[in-house]
Amino acid sequence: MMKQRTSYTGFFIGLVVGMDIGLFWNDFLFSDQYKFLSILNMPVFSGLAFGLLLGLLGNYLEKTMYRKKKAPKELA
C-alpha cells in the first residue's frame, strides 16, 4: 500500500486560524490613520484578509518543510 501525501493542509489550517483571528479581532486602531484599511473594520473582510494571509503562509511553510530532496547525480 502506497502512502499518499496530503496537499494544501497548511493552507487550510492557516485559513481557518486566520479567519478566526480576523473575525474576533476586527477593530483595528490604525484604520483611522490609513483610509484604505477601513475595510478591515468589517468582520467578514478582516476574516478573509487574515485567512488568506495565514493560508498562504501555511502553504509556504508546508512546501518548505516537505520539500522533496533532489536525487544524487549518477556518475557516468
Side-chain angles (χ1 to χ4, degrees):
M1 180 176 215
M2 290 181 60
K3 292 183 180 179
Q4 292 181 345
R5 197 180 130 221
T6 306
S7 300
Y8 299 112
T9 305
F11 179 76
F12 290 121
I13 291 172
L15 187 67
V16 169
V17 171
M19 288 185 79
D20 285 343
I21 290 171
L23 285 173
F24 292 117
W25 187 56
N26 64 348
D27 190 22
F28 297 106
L29 297 174
F30 56 87
S31 64
D32 294 334
Q33 296 171 357
Y34 304 105
K35 293 299 179 189
F36 64 92
L37 293 177
S38 64
I39 197 166
L40 292 178
N41 280 336
M42 295 179 238
V44 173
F45 291 121
S46 66
L48 286 174
F50 275 106
L52 289 176
L53 181 68
L54 288 179
L56 292 174
L57 179 67
N59 188 24
Y60 174 74
L61 289 175
E62 181 184 17
K63 295 292 181 189
T64 56
M65 286 174 39
Y66 294 115
R67 186 181 309 171
K68 294 182 180 179
K69 294 181 181 178
K70 294 182 181 179
K73 294 181 182 179
E74 293 182 23
L75 297 175

